[in-house]
Amino acid sequence: MTKLIFTNARLIDPEAGTDALGWLHVADGRIVASGDGPAPEADAQVIDCGGQCLAPGIVDIGVKVCEPGERHKESYKSAGLAAAAGGVTTMVTRPDTLPAIDTPETLEFVTRRAQADTPVNVLTMAALTKGRDGREMTEIGFLMDAGAVAFTDCDHVVKDTKVFSRALTYARACGALVIAHPQDPGLSHGAAATSGKFAALRGLPAVSPMAERMGLDRDIALLEMTGATYHADQITTARALPALERAKRNGLDITAGTSIHHLTLNELDVADYRTFFKVKPPLRSEDDRQAMIEAVRSGLIDTISSMHTPQDEESKRLPFEEAASGAVALETLLPAALRLYHADQLDLPALFRAMTLNPAKRLGLDCGRLSAGAPADLVLFDPDVPFVLDRFTLKSKSQNTPFDGHRMQGKVTATYVAGKEIFRRS
C-alpha cells in the first residue's frame, strides 16, 4: 500500500472540532498520525495541499441507486463516480428499488453490483416490511447476516402501529437500527408543498408542518414502548424539534438527520412551479430552514445527507403536482453545504461532524474522523473556488438538481478511499 504524507493542509477534524494547518500521515490505507508544524520525514509520497482543506470523506445516509429496476435513472457505476466527485467516500443506499431490497438474495445482488462497479464504500439498508407495504416485517436477522446496516421503508410510512411496534421490538432484539420517515401519512398524502400563503397562491395541494410533528410523536411513543434504536431520516420543521429534544433528554436511543436541500432552500425557490425543487418532504418556510441550521449547530439534529434521488426528464417535465419528487445531490452536497459556511452560519468542523462523524458513529463505523487508526477515507477541497453549476456536467445519469445555473463556491480537488486516490479534478 502507498504511504502518503499530506502537508500544508487545513485539517478539518470534526471529532476535535478544530480547523488548523497541519499534516496527515497515511500508511496501509489508514491514518497513522497528524499534527502541526513540520511534517515528519518518512519514505512516503508527499502531497502538498496548498492550504486547501483536508477532511474525512462524507458518509451519506439515504442515497438512492436505482438498481434493480430503474437502471436508466442511476446505476452503481454512475452513482459511484458522482460520489467520488462529490467527496462522498461511503454511500449508505436505500431499499426503495424495483423490487424493494427485502430479501437476502436481492441484498446480495446489489452488494455484488456495488463491489464491482463503485470506487467508494457502499453499505446497504434493507426494507423494514416486505415490499415496503407496511403489512409484514422482513427477515431482519437474515438480512443483517447478509450485510444490511439498517432497516427502513423510506417514504412509505408504516401506518399499522402494531406492525411497526413488532418490527421495532424485533429490531431491538437483533441490535438493528431502524430509520423512519416521520410524517402522518393521512395529512401528507398527495401533498406537493408546505401549507401557507405561497402554496395557496400557487394552488398547490399542501401539507401542514404539523404532519411531521405528529409522525415523530407517534414514533417516539413506540420507541419509548419498545426501546429500539431509531433514526429519523429527515426533520425539516421547527414544530418537530421540541419533541426530538425531549426524546433525547429522556434517554431514548434516537438520532435525526436533515437533507441539504432543506438547509439551503425554502418554499419560495419553487417559484413558478419549478419541478426540480419538488422534494419529499416539500421545501419549508425560511423560518423552518433557519431552525434546522440552528439545530445542526447545537447538535440536536445529528446528520446532514444528500437524500440523492435520481429522476429522469420524463418524471420531472410534468405539472408540479404530478411530477416525481426528489433531486440528485451526491456532487452538490458539499458545495451546497459550504453555502452555510460562507454565510457564517456553520463552521467547517460542525458541517463535517454532521456529514461524516455522526453518520459513521450511528452506523458503528470507524471512518468519519482524522484520528490515528481510522480509515484514510479523505476529501481534499478548496472551499473558496467559485463556479456556476451546469447540471449536464454531473456524473449522475439523471441531472435533476435544483442548483442548475446557481453560483456556488467550493469544489472537491481529490477524493481518497483507504488511501487510494479515486478522483482528482482536472
Side-chain angles (χ1 to χ4, degrees), residues 159 184-191 206-207:
K159 299 177 183 178
D184 180 270
L187 282 176
S188 59
H189 179 70
V207 58

Side-chain angles (χ1 to χ4, degrees), residues 99-111:
I101 301 172
D102 59 2
T103 65
E105 293 78 14
T106 309
L107 179 58
E108 289 167 4
F109 165 77
V110 298
T111 300

Side-chain angles (χ1 to χ4, degrees), residues 33 48 57 83 99 117 140 151 156 198 238 241 252 267 287 323 362 367:
D48 187 343
D117 290 350
I140 291 175
F151 295 84
H156 285 193
F198 177 80
L241 294 176
L252 299 182
E267 60 187 351
D287 288 343
R362 195 50 168 156
C367 57

